[in-house]
Amino acid sequence: MAKLKIILILLAVYIAYQYYDPFDPEEVRGKRVVITGASAGIGEQLAYQYSQLGAKVLITARREHVLQKVVAKCKELGAQDAHYIPLDMGKLEDTKRLIDAAKTKLGGIDHVILNHITYDYLAPWNGDMERLQQVMDINFHSYVSLATYATPMLNESHGSIAVVSSFAGKVAAPLVAPYCACKFALDGFFSSLRQEFVMQNMDISVTLCVIGKVDTASSHKNTKNVMSADRYSTPAPDTANRIMKGATLREREIYFPWIMTRPTMMVRDLLPNVLEWLIMSGMDERRKGKAKTS
Ligand SMILES: *[C@@H]1O[C@H](CO)[C@@H](O)[C@H](O)[C@H]1NC(C)=O
């Protein structure tokens, strides 16, 4: 019984610690922040979260007319400085352009938030190698390239890299094999890089962001045939806020919403078959449900 009590107390302390918030908004003021995939969803909300606290932002995505609007709102919200540059993260030369622009427009980088992504509809793997190559280029290779070009400036500023990943970057799910592949690859690469920074005395933090289902236009579009959209979604501004805090506090990994993501990791390691069975039956049930109603 005494042992059980100690375990319960430790568990309570651990859970309480997950909700303890040492974040100081003043730390964000004046920070030079680069955000990719910032025309919509979490990236757009990240631009607003940083702007509200007086950061200097440089945002990118492909659609210039949308970036113009986002930058205008950043300025309205209180950004010390806000710039955009329309780029295609499927092209390696554009990753260099972005980091060069950070140098000329912001004079350096304190945070780089790697967030952009190309999506596919949920479907079984169809053997399309060309598309897989493209997915890896956009969702993985460009992340590595951006971090590489940014490293000297981040070392100088004692900066932070945030890598936006997903639940599917820690637990494989069916119907999203290429997506799982790039998110797992990011975990492997950046968890290795984090240790190399320490070994090389470079004071750069790497925050891997494991996030659950977020309420964004693209997530609705891409999961509508399989998942019930709203039941488990989190609002994008809350998610963006958590990512900003994680990068500012130089956290190793963040899980958001914690209760929807972190406990599942423990089940993954202890009972992998049970977890896979739950994921598959959940997807099947919803597919059948949708088929009946449509
Ligand atoms: C990183 O910055 C430190 C100073 O903070 C410097 O001594 C070191 O040479 C830099 N490392 C690299 C690889 O640029």
Side-chain angles (χ1 to χ4, degrees):
M1 277 323 268
K3 264 188 206 155
L4 184 66
K5 247 187 214 165
I6 290 170
I7 289 169
L8 284 176
I9 288 169
L10 286 178
L11 193 66
V13 168
Y14 179 69
I15 291 173
Y17 179 71
Q18 302 309 315
Y19 290 94
Y20 163 69
D21 187 0
F23 176 68
D24 173 10
E26 276 307 308
E27 271 194 51
V28 174
R29 190 169 306 284
K31 284 276 188 294
R32 299 157 299 177
V33 184
V34 176
I35 305 167
T36 68
S39 59
I42 299 170
E44 178 188 1
Q45 295 303 323
L46 272 160
Y48 301 152
Q49 292 286 329
Y50 272 105
S51 295
Q52 274 170 357
L53 298 181
K56 300 173 181 172
V57 298
L58 167 64
I59 62 170
T60 189
R62 281 173 304 174
R63 296 173 296 166
E64 178 161 17
H65 66 284
V66 184
L67 290 172
Q68 277 170 348
K69 282 183 201 155
V70 175
V71 153
K73 192 164 169 194
C74 287
K75 287 179 178 159
E76 236 170 72
L77 287 170
Q80 272 187 22
D81 206 354
H83 304 273
Y84 71 86
I85 173 168
L87 292 169
D88 179 353
M89 290 297 116
K91 299 177 179 149
L92 276 190
E93 64 269 24
D94 276 15
T95 62
K96 182 167 190 307
R97 283 202 189 107
L98 180 61
I99 302 306
D100 288 347
K103 192 164 203 165
T104 53
K105 290 184 195 295
L106 305 179
I109 303 176
D110 294 296
H111 293 192
V112 54
I113 316 286
L114 306 176
N115 163 75
H116 64 275
I117 193 145
T118 178
Y119 276 96
D120 286 316
Y121 287 105
L122 292 169
W125 166 240
N126 60 5
D128 186 346
M129 292 306 291
E130 222 168 280
R131 174 60 185 159
L132 180 64
Q133 184 75 54
Q134 190 183 36
V135 167
M136 291 306 280
D137 281 345
I138 298 171
N139 296 355
F140 174 66
H141 294 135
S142 69
Y143 279 51
V144 172
S145 182
L146 288 162
T148 306
Y149 286 125
T151 294
M153 281 191 271
L154 290 169
N155 182 44
E156 207 169 285
S157 67
H158 307 274
S160 304
I161 300 172
V163 176
V164 178
S165 185
S166 152
F167 187 67
K170 288 283 187 186
V171 176
L175 312 183
V176 286
Y179 181 75
C180 284
C182 64
K183 291 306 193 189
F184 271 74
L186 287 170
D187 189 354
F189 189 92
F190 281 91
S191 299
S192 175
L193 195 64
R194 183 192 293 118
Q195 297 173 69
E196 293 183 6
F197 285 150
V198 175
M199 288 168 74
Q200 294 167 3
N201 289 319
M202 289 202 264
D203 188 21
I204 304 174
S205 67
V206 174
T207 305
L208 184 78
C209 307
V210 181
I211 58 179
K213 190 161 156 37
V214 180
D215 199 3
T216 63
S218 66
S219 91
H220 284 231
K221 197 175 76 188
N222 291 292
T223 58
K224 70 176 178 213
N225 55 338
V226 183
M227 292 200 255
S228 47
D230 306 316
R231 198 154 50 136
Y232 301 115
S233 322
T234 313
D238 296 359
T239 307
N241 183 267
R242 183 66 187 89
I243 293 167
M244 177 180 67
K245 282 182 181 175
T248 306
L249 295 169
R250 306 171 74 78
E251 289 176 79
R252 203 177 157 279
E253 292 190 337
I254 63 168
Y255 290 84
F256 187 82
W258 186 85
I259 197 70
M260 299 291 296
T261 49
R262 193 69 185 91
T264 318
M265 299 301 138
M266 299 168 193
V267 180
R268 176 199 66 178
D269 294 337
L270 294 172
L271 301 163
N273 317 23
V274 173
L275 183 57
E276 279 177 9
W277 177 79
L278 280 171
I279 291 172
M280 281 188 287
S281 55
M283 283 203 165
D284 245 16
E285 215 171 83
R286 288 181 204 137
R287 277 211 299 187
K288 280 182 198 139
K290 282 278 170 204
K292 252 182 237 159
T293 53
S294 62

